[in-house]
Amino acid sequence: MGSLKVTLCAGAALATALCAPAALAHAADGGGVFVTPSSPAPGTDVTLRVPGCTEKTAVAVSAAFESDVRLGLAAGDGVLVGSSRVRTSVRAGAYAVQVTCGDQARRGTITVEGDRRPDTRPSAPASPVAPVHAGGGGTARLAADGAEQARSEAPGTAHTVTGLVLAGIAAVAVALRGVRSRSRGTD
């Protein structure tokens, strides 16, 4: 049981070390209001997150939003969360987002991109179109086209880093288990 604890602690320490720079970079640019996605198109739904607010509710205001955004506490982590939609008539550019949290004003920025619109058309029918008795129906063509396209891209940097981290954790676990079993054999 001890090697399991050591393995989990080592994995948590490694994850903290890898994720800390990204978290600090994200916190430094927003001023306390985080908008996801930060560069939406007009008509796109966005989510706002405000960490560290002492209030249980707040309201976010921006000229880019269709209406004011009511924020409420998330699960129990003390982060206020809410969602809104970017106005379809808004022009491209940077817009301020302001949240009044008790006696503090939090600010953030949302950059609206004007050259793209969200795709409102469905990408594929929810069920096969005119299925035949043989089986595949309307999905047979999609399955044949998708098989070639599924492996067209190689794994990226994130996949490589994740694989290396998992391999390192596994190597540490195996080494610790081996040391522990050797120490029991000599007792």
Side-chain angles (χ1 to χ4, degrees), residues 15 20 24 27 32 47 49 52-54 56 77 86-87 96 100-101 108 123 143 145-147 156 163 165 167 173 177:
L24 291 175
T47 301
R49 296 179 57 82
C53 184
T54 58
K56 293 184 180 189
D77 54 3
V86 177
R87 289 186 299 132
T100 304
C101 183
S123 59
D145 293 343
V165 167
R177 178 157 243 173

Side-chain angles (χ1 to χ4, degrees), residues 44-110:
T44 304
D45 291 332
V46 293
T47 301
L48 282 79
R49 296 179 57 82
V50 181
C53 184
T54 58
E55 303 294 321
K56 293 184 180 189
T57 61
V59 176
V61 179
S62 176
F65 299 147
E66 288 182 345
S67 62
D68 294 348
V69 182
R70 296 201 180 276
L71 305 170
L73 277 177
D77 54 3
V79 177
L80 295 178
V81 178
S83 62
S84 184
R85 179 169 291 190
V86 177
R87 289 186 299 132
T88 56
S89 61
V90 73
R91 292 184 178 180
Y95 292 87
V97 178
Q98 182 172 346
V99 176
T100 304
C101 183
D103 58 349
Q104 297 177 344
R106 307 271 178 110
R107 298 183 192 280
T109 304
I110 182 172

Side-chain angles (χ1 to χ4, degrees), residues 4-14:
L4 179 61
K5 288 179 185 177
V6 171
T7 303
L8 291 176
C9 289
L14 185 61

Side-chain angles (χ1 to χ4, degrees), residues 175-187:
L176 290 174
R177 178 157 243 173
V179 168
R180 186 171 181 200
S181 66
R182 276 187 254 142
S183 67
R184 283 189 176 174
T186 59
D187 286 341

Side-chain angles (χ1 to χ4, degrees), residues 17-41:
L18 290 175
C19 294
L24 291 175
H26 185 63
D29 69 353
V33 178
F34 302 100
V35 182
T36 307
S38 61
S39 299

